[in-house]
Amino acid sequence: MSDIIRQRRAEGRAILNGWLSIPSGISAEIMARAGWDTITIDLQHGMIDLPDAIQMLQAIGNTSALPLARPEWNEPGQIMKLLDAGAMGIICPMVNSAEEARRLVAACRYAPLGERSFGPLRASLIHGADYWKTANEKILVLAMIETRRALDALDEILAVEGLDGVYVGPADFGLSLFGNPDSEPEDERAIAAIASVRQKAQAAGRIAAVHNLSAEHARRMAGQKWDFVTAGSDTRILSQGAASYIQRFNDAG
Amino acid sequence: MSDIIRQRRAEGRAILNGWLSIPSGISAEIMARAGWDTITIDLQHGMIDLPDAIQMLQAIGNTSALPLARPEWNEPGQIMKLLDAGAMGIICPMVNSAEEARRLVAACRYAPLGERSFGPLRASLIHGADYWKTANEKILVLAMIETRRALDALDEILAVEGLDGVYVGPADFGLSLFGNPDSEPEDERAIAAIASVRQKAQAAGRIAAVHNLSAEHARRMAGQKWDFVTAGSDTRILSQGAASYIQRFNDAG
Amino acid sequence: MSDIIRQRRAEGRAILNGWLSIPSGISAEIMARAGWDTITIDLQHGMIDLPDAIQMLQAIGNTSALPLARPEWNEPGQIMKLLDAGAMGIICPMVNSAEEARRLVAACRYAPLGERSFGPLRASLIHGADYWKTANEKILVLAMIETRRALDALDEILAVEGLDGVYVGPADFGLSLFGNPDSEPEDERAIAAIASVRQKAQAAGRIAAVHNLSAEHARRMAGQKWDFVTAGSDTRILSQGAASYIQRFNDAG
Amino acid sequence: MSDIIRQRRAEGRAILNGWLSIPSGISAEIMARAGWDTITIDLQHGMIDLPDAIQMLQAIGNTSALPLARPEWNEPGQIMKLLDAGAMGIICPMVNSAEEARRLVAACRYAPLGERSFGPLRASLIHGADYWKTANEKILVLAMIETRRALDALDEILAVEGLDGVYVGPADFGLSLFGNPDSEPEDERAIAAIASVRQKAQAAGRIAAVHNLSAEHARRMAGQKWDFVTAGSDTRILSQGAASYIQRFNDAG
Amino acid sequence: MSDIIRQRRAEGRAILNGWLSIPSGISAEIMARAGWDTITIDLQHGMIDLPDAIQMLQAIGNTSALPLARPEWNEPGQIMKLLDAGAMGIICPMVNSAEEARRLVAACRYAPLGERSFGPLRASLIHGADYWKTANEKILVLAMIETRRALDALDEILAVEGLDGVYVGPADFGLSLFGNPDSEPEDERAIAAIASVRQKAQAAGRIAAVHNLSAEHARRMAGQKWDFVTAGSDTRILSQGAASYIQRFNDAG
Amino acid sequence: MSDIIRQRRAEGRAILNGWLSIPSGISAEIMARAGWDTITIDLQHGMIDLPDAIQMLQAIGNTSALPLARPEWNEPGQIMKLLDAGAMGIICPMVNSAEEARRLVAACRYAPLGERSFGPLRASLIHGADYWKTANEKILVLAMIETRRALDALDEILAVEGLDGVYVGPADFGLSLFGNPDSEPEDERAIAAIASVRQKAQAAGRIAAVHNLSAEHARRMAGQKWDFVTAGSDTRILSQGAASYIQRFNDAG
């Protein structure tokens, strides 16, 4: 874990994470400068690919936000490349079993903890030639829990060495469990299921992280002692903001 | 002028224009779908170049917003290329004299009105082989009035045949006249100078357009009978929105 | 299946599919406007990657052609991302077993039919917030049958729930079965093998689709009651067309 | 003039030129391999900008076609950069006076003939450190004659030292002279005007070049002893070819 | 194996391989022109993705260097696409077992040797329609040996039909075996382990290749009869060279 | 002038400037980290366009080097955009008269000193909302002296208010004056002409800057009290370095 994450945990405050889905270094730099603790480049559902992500990592480097990335899938090639490019953490989609969690850890950690291939081109450039010595300690590795299978395997997943924590994706979780991709669920069963992930994760000494769309929901989750909360993506801020401008223009008339 | 512009004028309503500075077809499509009448791709102060603009024009084509562009400068090469790519109007920076206004018109209009070179590759693709016959009528041509020189030459500029109207850039206007780049000026002199442009333009039967940052200011200008008001850019919506999310996250705690 | 596919089937007419291998939104928009029912962005053998595909999907959105995509491989990450970006169907290479077909369906269908992760960024933008409710019904999922193994497993593949049909790649099929990558085979054995795929698919109530290079061969296959025929790719049209121009120039002399 | 141009002139054969408007190294390489003597990257009406042009020059380098470029406008910055990137000739739009022709030559020729700035990065890479010594001799410089003003100034334009010839753009020519942008004019006046350019150019010992859309028209012009004829662009080949495929598919039914 | 590889082997000389990690056709063309026998585009640790690689392959085509590629991972999709784009060999990371070696060969060889899918778009463009007939013979396939697991399975890996040889990555090798990612190891155990790979490979009639950072180390390995030695990457040359310029500037003072 | 420039002048040391011609954020970040005082993105002879330059500015922001840019030409559109994107200085090619120098200053300075249009999107993002208040003071503006005309007009050029200094381009200078584009001239006349520019510039209280290829020549010029010396470009370092690696490989054998 990087310093900001340790610090927030020491303060008992949730890490506040921003989210990037637009493939542009400009929007990334604007977002990253707003003051998030960490900011995640989403290569899974975002319209972002590796060349975009590299430019975005360079852009975020101009700010104080710690850059994380969500890869397209739990595949070692892209995960390792994002780390080589300077991402300081991975939020990996669809980790449904301990085996998949081990596969994730293997991609993120150098031997002997994992099997990350050596060649941290940009990471060494910005962090120095000794980067590899502290990489295993500093890189944040979160497994997304977002299906019934993952919920069933949660204990085993949490026991995987080298995993820092779990990250709940409520939309997929709701779709898998209850047929409803609700990102900020009001269904009591969904709320309870999500809460159970936090409890188990924290009981196991791991980080409990959760995706939210709104600041208010993120705040509520932080109040419930989640360690790491995402609040707000560039695309949502842009679409909501544009709608709000037009609404205010019309209302004001 | 395109239909939406004629229609708004017939309704006595201001055209509501959105603004794009992020070089991405994704942010462009999100913004354009929000409901602006027109949306302007800014190649002058936006971080956008021609290849970005082409993708953005294709993205905007998926929405009902009419695409306009602000070129890097009053140069025929890029203006013609933006029109060939499907932009339906040009907001040209720094038109400070009748000669510069004629240069702008020459770049935007086919002979005999102007000297636009023939080769509307994408424009013909999307509007049909007859595009060129109605292009002179449909393309919106606005000259930016943003310096003391432009103000002094305003009558001559407004008399230039083929110019549809003028577009005030209050920041440059304020910087040139009063040393203060205020985008939504409160200085009475600035307000009066800007108002005088509207009055002269409308007296000459031309469109009076004005740049604003906020929806509220845009609304106020629409209330003052400006024909065309810009309200809100992608970068401002994003930076304000991100700041607001973080603020609300902290406040809620 | 999208409307155009249902409609053609109701009419008893083959779907006519175009093919894109050039990584450009401009060539995509030109091709898509020509009048194909569907048009496929080829990320497998085409020189196209995800950022290109996104621009191409935006370009195709300006036309009436339904956009499909062939992913690089049967991997969930890229398949899901193409669907999130607005592709309305997947033609998946090298599906050689029922297990691989199930893997494909899992990537294309939301729960409970599959395991597609939720986050249809651009798809929701263009189709509305309810996109996910009809996505499973509208997304076309075709498995490519192009090896002996696939032929041997065809019955099991066709029985996989959630698969709309199969798509024969004659070149790979011929290479695998007879050592000859003939795209429009004249070898009777190859013709018979290909025909057997159509018969089995249609007997199982599935779509039978086939790749062709020429319009004439596509027409012949449509005459043989294939449901979906590809005819003509951008690269072939371009290389043949250029050769023909030069030939005609020389001949005319 | 490069060798291929000298050779064709010695043979009494017209140079056959292809035309590129799609911003892709892939389509460029496919087109260039078809067998044109020269191939022109169009940055004026094509949807191509400098980064695309650089990739396209690298792609064309894999073929035997001599790469030329049409810049966005008669501006030294872009013209010099295209030459630095390896373009071996410039077809410059809208040269309407001797002064504009001298401006063009100044941008294309090193001192003492012109004012081309020294820094042939890629040109030296591919042609060797001595490139600059023969550049003035090898670079082809053609001024487009496409307006009444250009026609009126033709004698002075042809007298400009360092200009290799003139290139007629019939569409703009027709638009400027007769209000009709006909690319392959049938109007006798247009035909005569165009022919007069060829006669004057050749009488002055300069290359007479002409734009055509079709191979047949190009052949006809070659028969009339034009030195250099363009026939066929990537976009036209693609749109015509796609339409033809669909037509043949439907007809064959 | 391509001609240059056969030729060097016949001469008893090591193949000298350059290495590309910067995503640019310009740096690729500069590097490739320097005189390496082969040059490898690194998509694993390099900051290069497929669209970059395609431009780089086109750039390298302007030189005499034979283009190879290292894919992101041992995944068929990207490997096949690199070959379709014209790469004449694959250096595949992290081949740790005979099964993984077979998977690699399957991706690189057409049937009946492997399962490479047919569609060599650019490869056929540059090598002719018969490319596929000699592709299996010409394409170089090297498996990277860089872990203890790979070392343990070396005999089985070397026995895999269709594999041309093995390529040692000393950094990963050292990290896996001795906890030290030393690219040019001085540890006797590491030296011995690496030497044992060469001996076994050559005993099995396969190519023994090794990664080096410096020319001097590459020379030493060539002296030890390695068949193929990498010496020097663009990023290392650039960072060392820049440091050296600044050093010399300061020293000279 | 930015702090580093003031500081070096106070120390009596020359500013050491690096040079970027490769269009990549990766090579830019590697170069910029090497320790140059300033680093210049070359859009004139470099293969770099605006979108590349923006990414490169973001990359350089991760280092301590001060980013400057050389625009394609003395045109306000691109110069202003480079400044808006965060370039902290402009080295403008081909300033041959006081009028051209005033045109340059007008593009670089806000009113009342110049006519730079207001809209510092990225510059305000990284330097704060007050950026515009100190921009005129901090932005470095250097006019390139590289022709006989410029030499003849030097006194008038040096008298232009708002110009910080002049930058000699020896290659163009030599080509214009003596027909020899020697970047590090040995011809006494060239040496004397170049020295005269330094003397006049410094006598006028302006910065005297000079382009060099090698560290040694840069050191020599620094020894002659030039204020600002360029030494080493990415392309030269790369091509020389690659040649040196191959040479050392062969020599060592």
Side-chain angles (χ1 to χ4, degrees):
Chain A
M1 282 172 251
S2 292
D3 296 344
I4 181 65
I5 297 180
R6 293 186 190 286
Q7 183 187 329
R8 285 285 177 271
R9 299 196 81 186
E11 297 165 349
R13 291 175 56 192
I15 317 277
L16 181 60
N17 180 54
W19 201 260
L20 299 176
S21 301
I22 297 171
S24 161
I26 296 300
S27 49
E29 193 169 346
I30 291 172
M31 274 288 285
R33 203 166 279 275
W36 316 92
D37 294 324
T38 59
I39 195 153
T40 302
I41 301 171
D42 181 12
L43 287 89
Q44 187 195 16
H45 294 299
M47 297 289 94
I48 297 170
D49 207 358
L50 257 166
D52 311 309
I54 293 170
Q55 176 169 7
M56 293 167 83
L57 286 165
Q58 293 183 312
I60 296 168
N62 291 288
T63 75
S64 64
L66 185 79
L68 312 177
R70 180 163 72 170
E72 203 175 280
W73 203 246
N74 188 359
E75 292 288 346
Q78 194 183 70
I79 290 174
M80 291 181 190
K81 210 159 164 179
L82 287 164
L83 295 174
D84 287 350
M88 291 305 292
I90 295 292
I91 299 176
C92 182
M94 289 285 169
V95 176
N96 291 330
S97 65
E99 187 192 338
E100 289 176 12
R102 277 190 293 270
R103 178 179 167 90
L104 165 61
V105 170
C108 297
R109 308 289 186 203
Y110 287 124
L113 233 67
E115 303 180 358
R116 180 178 170 194
S117 179
F118 189 83
L121 199 149
R122 186 170 177 269
S124 285
L125 186 69
I126 56 179
H127 296 297
D130 278 356
Y131 159 82
W132 72 275
K133 293 187 183 166
T134 58
N136 277 2
E137 185 198 337
K138 292 214 172 151
I139 299 295
L140 181 73
V141 183
L142 301 180
M144 288 194 74
I145 301 299
E146 36 187 357
T147 64
R148 178 176 298 280
R149 283 203 285 140
L151 192 61
D152 292 346
L154 187 56
D155 292 335
E156 294 80 35
I157 290 172
L158 286 166
V160 169
E161 194 190 349
L163 191 72
D164 290 314
V166 289
Y167 183 105
V168 177
D172 267 313
F173 208 53
L175 187 59
S176 173
L177 270 75
F178 313 108
N180 185 4
D182 200 345
S183 291
E184 299 185 343
E186 306 196 348
D187 179 324
E188 286 304 323
R189 294 171 306 165
I191 290 173
I194 290 170
S196 75
V197 177
R198 179 183 58 75
Q199 289 152 1
K200 284 195 169 183
Q202 291 176 337
R206 308 292 170 126
I207 289 175
V210 64
H211 200 76
N212 306 277
L213 299 185
S214 67
E216 288 71 18
H217 201 273
R219 183 66 260 166
R220 201 172 322 146
M221 298 311 255
Q224 292 170 15
K225 298 300 171 199
W226 287 81
D227 302 295
F228 180 112
V229 296
T230 296
S233 72
D234 51 2
T235 51
R236 186 176 163 90
I237 290 174
L238 198 56
S239 60
Q240 279 195 335
S244 158
Y245 264 67
I246 294 175
Q247 186 64 40
R248 278 147 53 201
F249 178 81
N250 289 333
D251 286 354
Chain B
M1 285 173 249
S2 292
D3 296 344
I4 182 65
I5 297 179
R6 291 186 191 288
Q7 183 187 329
R8 284 287 177 269
R9 301 197 80 188
E11 296 165 351
R13 291 175 56 191
I15 317 271
L16 181 60
N17 180 54
W19 201 259
L20 300 176
S21 300
I22 298 170
S24 159
I26 295 301
S27 49
E29 193 170 345
I30 291 172
M31 274 287 286
R33 203 166 279 273
W36 316 92
D37 294 325
T38 59
I39 195 152
T40 301
I41 301 170
D42 182 12
L43 287 89
Q44 187 195 16
H45 294 299
M47 297 289 94
I48 296 169
D49 206 359
L50 257 167
D52 310 309
I54 293 171
Q55 175 169 6
M56 293 168 82
L57 286 165
Q58 293 184 312
I60 296 168
N62 290 287
T63 75
S64 64
L66 185 79
L68 312 178
R70 180 162 72 170
E72 204 175 279
W73 203 247
N74 189 359
E75 291 290 345
Q78 195 183 68
I79 291 174
M80 292 181 189
K81 209 159 165 180
L82 287 165
L83 295 174
D84 286 351
M88 291 305 292
I90 294 293
I91 299 176
C92 182
M94 289 285 168
V95 176
N96 291 331
S97 65
E99 185 191 339
E100 288 176 14
R102 277 189 293 269
R103 178 179 166 89
L104 165 62
V105 170
C108 295
R109 308 290 186 202
Y110 287 125
L113 233 67
E115 303 181 357
R116 179 178 170 195
S117 179
F118 190 81
L121 198 149
R122 188 171 175 267
S124 285
L125 187 69
I126 56 179
H127 295 298
D130 278 357
Y131 160 82
W132 72 274
K133 293 188 183 166
T134 57
N136 276 1
E137 184 197 337
K138 292 213 171 149
I139 298 295
L140 181 73
V141 183
L142 300 180
M144 288 195 73
I145 300 299
E146 37 188 355
T147 63
R148 179 176 297 281
R149 282 203 286 139
L151 193 61
D152 293 344
L154 185 57
D155 293 334
E156 294 79 35
I157 290 172
L158 286 167
V160 170
E161 193 189 350
L163 190 74
D164 289 314
V166 289
Y167 183 106
V168 177
D172 267 313
F173 209 53
L175 188 59
S176 171
L177 269 75
F178 313 109
N180 185 4
D182 201 344
S183 290
E184 299 185 342
E186 305 196 348
D187 178 324
E188 286 303 323
R189 294 170 307 163
I191 290 173
I194 290 170
S196 75
V197 178
R198 180 183 59 74
Q199 289 152 1
K200 283 196 168 181
Q202 291 176 337
R206 307 293 171 126
I207 290 175
V210 64
H211 200 75
N212 305 277
L213 299 185
S214 67
E216 288 71 18
H217 201 272
R219 183 66 260 166
R220 200 172 323 145
M221 298 311 254
Q224 292 170 15
K225 299 298 171 200
W226 287 82
D227 302 296
F228 180 111
V229 296
T230 296
S233 72
D234 50 4
T235 50
R236 187 176 163 88
I237 290 173
L238 198 56
S239 60
Q240 278 195 335
S244 158
Y245 264 67
I246 295 175
Q247 186 64 40
R248 279 146 53 201
F249 178 82
N250 288 333
D251 287 354
Chain C
M1 284 173 251
S2 293
D3 295 344
I4 182 65
I5 298 179
R6 292 186 189 287
Q7 184 186 329
R8 284 287 177 269
R9 301 198 80 189
E11 296 165 350
R13 292 176 56 193
I15 317 275
L16 181 61
N17 180 53
W19 201 261
L20 300 176
S21 300
I22 297 171
S24 160
I26 296 301
S27 49
E29 193 169 345
I30 291 172
M31 274 288 285
R33 203 166 278 274
W36 316 93
D37 295 326
T38 60
I39 195 151
T40 300
I41 301 170
D42 182 11
L43 287 90
Q44 187 195 16
H45 294 299
M47 297 289 94
I48 296 170
D49 206 358
L50 258 167
D52 310 310
I54 293 171
Q55 175 168 7
M56 294 167 82
L57 286 164
Q58 293 185 313
I60 296 168
N62 291 288
T63 75
S64 64
L66 186 79
L68 311 178
R70 179 162 71 171
E72 203 175 279
W73 203 246
N74 188 0
E75 291 289 345
Q78 195 183 69
I79 291 174
M80 292 181 189
K81 209 158 163 181
L82 287 164
L83 295 174
D84 288 350
M88 292 305 292
I90 295 293
I91 299 176
C92 182
M94 289 286 169
V95 176
N96 291 331
S97 65
E99 186 191 337
E100 289 177 12
R102 277 189 294 269
R103 178 180 167 89
L104 164 62
V105 170
C108 296
R109 308 290 187 203
Y110 287 124
L113 234 67
E115 303 180 356
R116 179 178 170 194
S117 179
F118 189 82
L121 200 149
R122 186 168 177 269
S124 285
L125 186 70
I126 56 180
H127 295 298
D130 278 357
Y131 160 82
W132 71 275
K133 293 187 183 167
T134 58
N136 276 3
E137 186 197 337
K138 292 213 171 150
I139 299 296
L140 182 73
V141 183
L142 301 180
M144 289 195 72
I145 300 299
E146 38 188 355
T147 64
R148 178 176 298 281
R149 282 202 285 139
L151 193 60
D152 293 346
L154 186 57
D155 293 333
E156 294 79 37
I157 290 172
L158 286 166
V160 170
E161 193 189 350
L163 190 72
D164 289 314
V166 291
Y167 183 107
V168 177
D172 268 312
F173 208 53
L175 188 59
S176 172
L177 268 75
F178 313 109
N180 185 4
D182 201 343
S183 291
E184 299 185 342
E186 306 197 346
D187 178 324
E188 286 302 323
R189 294 171 307 165
I191 290 172
I194 290 171
S196 76
V197 177
R198 180 183 59 74
Q199 289 151 2
K200 284 197 167 181
Q202 291 176 337
R206 308 292 170 126
I207 290 175
V210 65
H211 200 76
N212 306 277
L213 299 185
S214 67
E216 289 70 20
H217 201 271
R219 182 66 259 166
R220 199 173 322 145
M221 297 311 254
Q224 292 170 14
K225 299 300 172 199
W226 287 81
D227 302 295
F228 179 111
V229 296
T230 297
S233 72
D234 50 4
T235 50
R236 187 176 162 88
I237 290 174
L238 198 56
S239 60
Q240 280 195 333
S244 158
Y245 265 67
I246 295 174
Q247 187 63 40
R248 279 147 54 202
F249 178 82
N250 290 332
D251 286 355
Chain D
M1 284 173 250
S2 292
D3 296 343
I4 181 66
I5 298 179
R6 293 187 190 286
Q7 183 186 330
R8 285 285 176 271
R9 300 197 81 187
E11 296 166 350
R13 291 177 56 193
I15 316 274
L16 181 61
N17 180 52
W19 200 261
L20 300 176
S21 301
I22 297 171
S24 160
I26 296 301
S27 49
E29 192 169 346
I30 292 171
M31 274 288 286
R33 203 166 279 274
W36 316 92
D37 294 325
T38 59
I39 195 152
T40 302
I41 301 171
D42 182 12
L43 286 89
Q44 186 194 18
H45 294 300
M47 297 290 93
I48 296 169
D49 206 359
L50 257 167
D52 310 309
I54 293 170
Q55 176 169 7
M56 294 167 82
L57 285 165
Q58 293 183 312
I60 296 168
N62 290 288
T63 75
S64 64
L66 185 79
L68 312 177
R70 180 162 72 171
E72 203 177 279
W73 203 247
N74 188 357
E75 292 289 345
Q78 195 182 69
I79 291 174
M80 291 181 189
K81 209 159 165 179
L82 287 164
L83 295 175
D84 287 349
M88 292 306 292
I90 295 292
I91 300 176
C92 183
M94 289 284 170
V95 176
N96 291 330
S97 65
E99 186 192 339
E100 289 176 13
R102 278 189 293 269
R103 178 178 167 90
L104 165 62
V105 170
C108 296
R109 307 289 187 205
Y110 287 124
L113 232 67
E115 303 180 357
R116 179 178 171 194
S117 179
F118 189 82
L121 198 149
R122 187 171 176 269
S124 284
L125 186 69
I126 56 180
H127 296 297
D130 278 356
Y131 159 83
W132 72 275
K133 294 188 182 165
T134 58
N136 277 2
E137 184 197 337
K138 291 212 171 151
I139 298 296
L140 181 73
V141 183
L142 300 180
M144 288 194 72
I145 300 299
E146 37 188 356
T147 63
R148 179 176 297 282
R149 282 201 286 141
L151 193 61
D152 292 346
L154 187 56
D155 292 334
E156 294 81 34
I157 290 172
L158 286 167
V160 170
E161 192 189 351
L163 190 73
D164 288 314
V166 290
Y167 183 105
V168 177
D172 267 312
F173 209 52
L175 188 60
S176 172
L177 270 74
F178 313 109
N180 185 4
D182 201 345
S183 291
E184 298 185 342
E186 306 196 348
D187 179 325
E188 285 303 323
R189 294 170 307 164
I191 290 173
I194 290 171
S196 75
V197 177
R198 179 183 58 75
Q199 289 152 358
K200 284 196 167 181
Q202 291 176 337
R206 308 292 169 125
I207 290 175
V210 64
H211 200 75
N212 306 277
L213 300 184
S214 67
E216 289 71 20
H217 201 272
R219 183 67 261 165
R220 201 173 322 145
M221 298 311 257
Q224 293 170 14
K225 299 299 172 200
W226 288 81
D227 302 295
F228 179 111
V229 296
T230 296
S233 72
D234 51 3
T235 52
R236 187 176 163 89
I237 290 174
L238 197 57
S239 60
Q240 279 194 334
S244 158
Y245 265 66
I246 294 175
Q247 186 64 39
R248 279 146 54 202
F249 178 82
N250 289 331
D251 286 356
Chain E
M1 284 173 247
S2 293
D3 296 344
I4 181 64
I5 298 180
R6 292 187 190 287
Q7 183 187 329
R8 285 284 176 272
R9 301 197 81 188
E11 297 165 350
R13 292 177 53 192
I15 317 279
L16 181 60
N17 181 52
W19 200 260
L20 300 175
S21 301
I22 297 171
S24 160
I26 295 301
S27 49
E29 193 169 346
I30 291 171
M31 275 288 285
R33 203 166 280 274
W36 315 93
D37 295 324
T38 59
I39 195 152
T40 302
I41 301 170
D42 181 12
L43 287 89
Q44 187 195 16
H45 294 300
M47 298 289 94
I48 297 169
D49 206 359
L50 257 166
D52 311 309
I54 293 171
Q55 174 168 7
M56 294 167 82
L57 286 164
Q58 292 184 312
I60 297 167
N62 290 288
T63 75
S64 65
L66 185 79
L68 312 178
R70 180 163 72 170
E72 202 175 280
W73 203 246
N74 188 358
E75 291 289 345
Q78 195 182 70
I79 291 173
M80 292 181 190
K81 210 159 165 180
L82 287 164
L83 296 174
D84 288 350
M88 291 305 291
I90 295 292
I91 298 176
C92 183
M94 288 285 168
V95 176
N96 291 331
S97 65
E99 187 191 338
E100 289 176 12
R102 278 189 293 269
R103 179 180 166 89
L104 164 62
V105 170
C108 296
R109 307 289 187 203
Y110 288 124
L113 233 67
E115 303 181 356
R116 179 177 170 196
S117 179
F118 188 82
L121 200 149
R122 186 170 178 270
S124 286
L125 186 70
I126 56 179
H127 295 298
D130 278 356
Y131 160 81
W132 72 275
K133 292 187 183 166
T134 57
N136 276 1
E137 185 197 337
K138 292 213 170 151
I139 298 296
L140 181 73
V141 183
L142 301 181
M144 288 194 73
I145 301 298
E146 38 188 356
T147 64
R148 178 175 297 281
R149 283 201 285 141
L151 193 60
D152 293 344
L154 186 57
D155 293 334
E156 294 80 35
I157 290 171
L158 286 166
V160 169
E161 193 189 350
L163 191 72
D164 288 315
V166 289
Y167 184 106
V168 176
D172 267 312
F173 209 53
L175 188 59
S176 172
L177 269 74
F178 312 109
N180 185 4
D182 201 345
S183 291
E184 299 185 341
E186 307 197 347
D187 178 325
E188 286 303 323
R189 295 170 306 162
I191 291 172
I194 290 170
S196 75
V197 177
R198 179 182 60 74
Q199 289 150 1
K200 285 195 167 182
Q202 291 176 339
R206 309 292 170 126
I207 290 175
V210 64
H211 200 76
N212 306 276
L213 299 185
S214 67
E216 288 70 19
H217 201 271
R219 182 67 260 165
R220 199 173 324 144
M221 298 310 255
Q224 293 170 15
K225 298 300 172 199
W226 288 81
D227 302 294
F228 180 111
V229 296
T230 296
S233 71
D234 49 5
T235 51
R236 187 176 163 88
I237 290 173
L238 198 56
S239 60
Q240 280 195 334
S244 158
Y245 265 67
I246 294 175
Q247 186 64 39
R248 278 146 55 201
F249 178 82
N250 289 330
D251 286 355
Chain F
M1 285 173 247
S2 292
D3 295 344
I4 181 65
I5 298 179
R6 292 186 190 287
Q7 183 186 329
R8 283 286 177 271
R9 302 197 80 188
E11 297 165 348
R13 291 176 55 193
I15 316 268
L16 181 60
N17 180 53
W19 201 260
L20 300 175
S21 300
I22 298 171
S24 160
I26 296 302
S27 50
E29 193 169 345
I30 291 171
M31 274 287 286
R33 204 166 280 274
W36 316 93
D37 295 324
T38 60
I39 195 153
T40 301
I41 301 170
D42 181 12
L43 287 89
Q44 187 194 16
H45 294 300
M47 297 289 94
I48 296 170
D49 206 359
L50 257 166
D52 310 309
I54 293 171
Q55 176 168 6
M56 294 166 82
L57 286 165
Q58 292 184 313
I60 296 167
N62 290 288
T63 75
S64 65
L66 185 79
L68 312 178
R70 180 162 72 169
E72 203 175 280
W73 202 247
N74 188 358
E75 291 289 346
Q78 194 182 71
I79 290 174
M80 292 181 189
K81 210 159 163 179
L82 287 164
L83 295 175
D84 288 349
M88 291 306 291
I90 294 293
I91 299 176
C92 183
M94 288 286 169
V95 176
N96 291 331
S97 65
E99 185 191 339
E100 289 177 13
R102 278 189 293 270
R103 178 179 166 89
L104 165 62
V105 170
C108 296
R109 307 288 186 204
Y110 287 125
L113 232 66
E115 303 181 357
R116 180 179 170 195
S117 179
F118 188 83
L121 199 149
R122 188 171 175 268
S124 284
L125 187 69
I126 55 179
H127 295 298
D130 278 357
Y131 159 81
W132 71 275
K133 293 187 183 166
T134 58
N136 277 2
E137 185 197 337
K138 292 212 170 153
I139 299 296
L140 181 73
V141 183
L142 301 180
M144 289 194 73
I145 300 299
E146 38 188 356
T147 64
R148 178 175 297 282
R149 283 202 285 140
L151 193 60
D152 293 345
L154 186 57
D155 293 334
E156 293 80 33
I157 290 172
L158 286 166
V160 170
E161 192 189 350
L163 190 73
D164 289 313
V166 290
Y167 184 106
V168 177
D172 268 313
F173 209 52
L175 188 59
S176 172
L177 270 74
F178 312 109
N180 185 4
D182 200 344
S183 291
E184 299 185 341
E186 306 197 347
D187 178 324
E188 286 303 324
R189 294 170 307 164
I191 290 172
I194 289 170
S196 76
V197 177
R198 179 182 60 75
Q199 289 151 0
K200 284 196 168 181
Q202 291 175 338
R206 308 292 171 126
I207 291 175
V210 65
H211 201 75
N212 305 277
L213 300 185
S214 67
E216 289 70 19
H217 201 271
R219 181 68 259 164
R220 199 173 323 146
M221 298 310 255
Q224 293 169 15
K225 299 300 172 199
W226 288 81
D227 302 294
F228 180 111
V229 296
T230 297
S233 72
D234 50 4
T235 51
R236 186 175 163 89
I237 290 173
L238 197 56
S239 61
Q240 279 195 334
S244 158
Y245 265 66
I246 295 175
Q247 186 63 40
R248 279 146 54 201
F249 178 82
N250 289 331
D251 286 355

